[in-house]
Amino acid sequence: MYREWTEKTLQLLEKYPEQKDRFETLSGIEVNRLYTSHNEQDMEKIGFPGEYPYTRGIRPTMYRSRNWTMRQYAGFGSATETNKRFRYLLEQGQTGLSVAFDLPTQIGYDSDDPMAQGEVGKVGVAIDSLEDMERLLKGIPLDQVSTSMTINAPASVLLAMYIAVGEKQGVPVEKLTGTIQNDILKEYIARGTYIFPPKSSMRLITDIFAYCAECVPKWNTISISGYHIREAGSTAVQEVAFTLANGIAYVHAAMKAGLEVERFAPRLSFFFNAHNHFFEEVAKFRASRRLWARIMKERFQASSPRSMQLRFHTQTGGSTLTAQQPDNNVVRVTLQALAAVLGGTQSLHTNARDEALALPTEESARVALRTQQIIAHESGVTHTVDPLGGSWYVEWLTDEIEKRALSYIERIDEMGGAVAAVEQGYMQREIQHAALETQRKIESGEEVLVGVNRYRLENEQQPDLYQVDPLLAKDQVKRLNALRGKRDGEKVTDCLAALKRGAESDENLMPYILDAVRAYATVGEICHALRDVFGEYRPSI
């Protein structure tokens, strides 16, 4: 078995060479590409890197050939300010962009809407139109940089804007690379930035699947997110179970819409949290990979490796950061990031130490990025694939998380799937119970939170914090009004009317949304046109 895997891997090295001819410790001890058990039964169970069921990673050489993408999440204030932060992070060695949008953009309102008052540019960048997206990406070559966008309900609109900027740069659409989160089910479960009812939202998602499979083949059309489920208070097991259950629902929806599994499944991606319990997090990533491979093969009859591989981005746990003694957060983030790397992540964001208090300063953002770079280049953990594989504890914990997550998935199947479970409030209740239990343990001192319920300081020193310019909202509204005055209003009206007609039919809506975006229709105008047809979601619980 090992010899066969080695022979196949050596052939792959011609296409994906490793970063060094020889990997060794600081004492000069050579480190092998992979370490395995001599027991064939053990190897049959956990498999080899790059091979089904992908417990040990989705690539045979993992980080020996290429490090994970260092993709720091950033977005605040105006598009111009965020563009400056993007450029700064790229200069500091970041290898991919990740966009945070403000709350009005996330729920489909323009900056001058009464619903946006007090929220413009506060938790992310305000993007109202293609003009804003052009400023956001100014000077950033979209054929060389991949971009992740944390956007869900209006994901189709922001993707259309990104495509339109690529057109203006002269970048062929088939060369665009990146990801939209586009995961609406977890919004109903844990996060709340939904707009439309579930059925209409699922239609928009499958329209994106179909459009990108045809026109934007390198784009990851969804990032199925466990991150926000964990941030809402779930356990690691619930994070795996509910995320994969949502993934199953998206695959079902796409197949029901007439898409063949091999056509869209290779572009499904996932997004997980890295929390504080080091070994549980490593085991969680390994269990997720193995469980998803089995689901795709056995439930959906996927046959190609790319359709069965769980590719994921990781972000360190925002809810674990403390306002007290914020420098302690550097240590927390380092442990969490290391767990993500040892668990085989493809992409990573490390939180800044001051994020429990404000948006990151430039300095704290740099330290967060340096944390990844030190792990990649100084720790030696990238020299061999799946370094913790074969640990009795890690393998047992991987099995246990898989077993418990599968039990949850079977319960959700009995309810009729993830959409039905969301409508019944099942996952929401389970997360709430777990969050309540965690809070009880912290308040009782049973669970130690350093600097909060133990080892406190009497006199806390407040660090320098980033301040959002209070005039930003006024400037954004002024630019928006100027845009409305100079664009072709009649063309915008026609495009929005066509979009409504498309929404009333069963046509793919992406071409209509692209036309509206190119005419400089705004996020709010496009989402309101869809609201007129689809309505708005109102939770019943």
Side-chain angles (χ1 to χ4, degrees):
M1 292 171 67
Y2 179 75
R3 184 179 296 172
E4 292 172 1
W5 175 84
T6 301
E7 288 174 357
K8 284 189 283 187
T9 301
L10 289 174
Q11 291 173 3
L12 280 173
L13 288 180
E14 296 177 11
K15 187 175 181 181
Y16 303 107
E18 294 179 337
Q19 297 184 63
K20 298 179 183 178
D21 293 330
R22 175 185 169 95
F23 291 82
E24 58 183 33
T25 70
L26 295 179
S27 301
I29 302 169
E30 185 170 5
V31 179
N32 292 337
R33 183 176 296 116
L34 182 70
Y35 292 88
T36 63
S37 169
H38 295 297
N39 186 322
E40 287 208 2
Q41 284 184 327
D42 290 342
M43 295 315 301
E44 283 178 8
K45 182 179 180 182
I46 68 171
F48 288 86
E51 294 187 358
Y52 181 87
Y54 307 105
T55 313
R56 305 199 68 181
I58 64 169
R59 302 281 182 266
T61 57
M62 288 300 287
Y63 309 131
R64 284 170 66 109
S65 290
R66 189 181 74 177
N67 290 328
W68 60 93
T69 301
M70 298 179 191
R71 192 186 299 281
Q72 292 298 98
Y73 189 46
F76 52 89
S78 71
T80 301
E81 284 182 290
T82 303
N83 177 268
K84 288 178 183 175
R85 178 62 64 89
F86 283 163
R87 286 167 170 273
Y88 173 77
L89 289 168
L90 289 170
E91 288 167 3
Q92 297 302 313
Q94 176 170 297
T95 52
L97 299 180
S98 182
V99 187
F101 297 97
D102 72 354
L103 190 57
T105 305
Q106 291 183 50
I107 53 177
Y109 291 106
D110 290 332
S111 296
D112 61 351
D113 194 291
M115 289 290 287
Q117 190 170 357
E119 293 293 342
V120 176
K122 287 291 179 67
V123 298
V125 60
I127 298 293
D128 292 317
S129 71
L130 176 57
E131 188 176 77
D132 289 328
M133 187 67 89
E134 289 167 1
R135 280 199 299 271
L136 179 72
L137 300 169
K138 185 178 180 181
I140 296 172
L142 299 191
D143 56 345
Q144 298 175 35
V145 175
S146 71
T147 303
S148 172
M149 296 190 283
T150 302
I151 195 70
N152 294 281
S156 53
V157 184
L158 277 299
L159 174 59
M161 289 181 178
Y162 195 88
I163 292 169
V165 172
E167 290 172 349
K168 286 176 176 288
Q169 287 189 4
V171 177
V173 71
E174 60 270 15
K175 287 192 175 182
L176 294 176
T177 59
T179 306
I180 42 172
Q181 195 160 99
N182 197 28
D183 173 11
I184 202 63
L185 290 177
K186 66 93 176 50
E187 297 296 329
Y188 303 124
I189 295 168
R191 192 162 178 260
T193 62
Y194 42 71
I195 300 175
F196 314 113
K199 185 177 179 182
S200 300
S201 295
M202 294 294 277
R203 176 204 170 165
L204 286 167
I205 289 169
T206 55
D207 280 357
I208 292 170
F209 286 0
Y211 181 83
C212 288
E214 188 71 30
C215 302
V216 201
K218 292 184 178 179
W219 196 267
N220 297 322
T221 51
I222 194 168
S223 177
I224 305 162
S225 175
Y227 180 85
H228 305 94
I229 289 170
R230 191 64 178 278
E231 289 291 281
S234 81
T235 65
V237 169
Q238 289 169 341
E239 181 187 357
V240 174
F242 298 163
T243 304
L244 299 193
N246 288 347
I248 291 167
Y250 294 126
V251 175
H252 273 304
M255 294 177 75
K256 190 176 179 181
L259 294 174
E260 295 179 4
V261 68
E262 307 291 3
R263 187 179 173 205
F264 67 88
R267 283 294 156 189
L268 302 178
S269 63
F270 290 80
F271 175 23
F272 287 111
N273 197 301
H275 221 266
N276 279 338
H277 196 291
F278 183 82
F279 287 106
E280 183 174 52
E281 295 304 293
V282 174
K284 177 187 78 179
F285 299 130
R286 299 170 90 250
S288 299
R289 210 162 28 234
R290 185 162 70 200
L291 187 50
W292 183 248
R294 288 175 176 164
I295 287 168
M296 291 304 294
K297 183 177 182 178
E298 295 169 12
R299 188 183 293 225
F300 297 111
Q301 286 74 56
S303 57
S304 75
R306 287 184 62 80
S307 295
M308 292 183 277
Q309 291 171 351
L310 184 145
R311 298 171 301 120
F312 66 98
H313 170 72
T314 310
Q315 181 173 337
T316 55
S319 63
T320 69
L321 304 180
T322 62
Q324 299 91 336
Q325 303 177 38
D327 283 350
N328 293 345
N329 294 326
V330 176
V331 181
R332 293 185 178 101
V333 167
T334 302
L335 285 169
Q336 294 163 5
L338 184 58
V341 170
L342 292 175
T345 193
Q346 277 63 67
S347 173
L348 180 61
H349 164 90
T350 34
N351 291 329
R353 63 189 173 205
D354 49 4
E355 287 189 57
L357 295 160
L359 291 168
T361 63
E362 197 170 86
E363 180 190 358
S364 64
R366 183 178 66 248
V367 171
L369 177 59
R370 292 287 183 261
T371 301
Q372 294 198 48
Q373 292 165 337
I374 290 169
I375 291 172
H377 300 292
E378 297 185 24
S379 70
V381 298
T382 61
H383 289 182
T384 189
V385 181
D386 189 29
L388 294 181
S391 155
W392 292 330
Y393 177 41
V394 170
E395 296 299 349
W396 172 82
L397 199 49
T398 300
D399 292 345
E400 193 67 17
I401 290 172
E402 181 182 12
K403 180 176 72 177
R404 295 185 182 209
L406 186 57
S407 177
Y408 265 119
I409 290 170
E410 289 169 349
R411 216 171 309 164
I412 291 166
D413 285 341
E414 290 169 4
M415 293 178 184
V419 175
V422 168
E423 292 172 342
Q424 295 172 41
Y426 170 69
M427 289 187 267
Q428 297 94 310
R429 286 193 300 274
E430 289 294 305
I431 293 168
Q432 288 162 6
H433 293 157
L436 185 63
E437 179 62 12
T438 298
Q439 189 61 29
R440 183 195 66 76
K441 288 180 178 178
I442 291 171
E443 291 180 1
S444 70
E446 183 180 343
E447 186 171 305
V448 175
L449 201 51
V450 173
V452 177
N453 63 5
R454 199 179 295 184
Y455 313 115
R456 290 179 289 200
L457 295 176
E458 288 186 15
N459 299 309
E460 287 274 355
Q461 286 194 344
Q462 188 84 324
D464 292 333
L465 301 177
Y466 180 84
Q467 301 293 330
V468 175
D469 186 348
L471 297 176
L472 179 141
K474 288 183 179 179
D475 291 342
Q476 182 69 15
V477 169
K478 191 183 296 183
R479 282 191 293 268
L480 182 55
N481 289 334
L483 170 72
R484 289 197 175 110
K486 67 185 180 183
R487 69 186 183 180
D488 185 338
E490 188 175 332
K491 187 174 182 181
V492 170
T493 300
D494 289 345
C495 287
L496 294 175
L499 174 60
K500 282 187 182 183
R501 290 193 297 272
E504 289 165 351
S505 71
D506 60 358
E507 294 180 78
N508 191 306
L509 294 181
M510 276 302 296
Y512 292 107
I513 293 169
L514 259 168
D515 286 344
V517 161
R518 290 175 183 133
Y520 289 88
T522 65
V523 170
E525 290 164 344
I526 294 170
C527 289
H528 280 309
L530 294 174
R531 281 183 176 98
D532 288 345
V533 179
F534 296 153
E536 286 190 319
Y537 176 70
R538 293 284 183 266
S540 58
I541 57 168

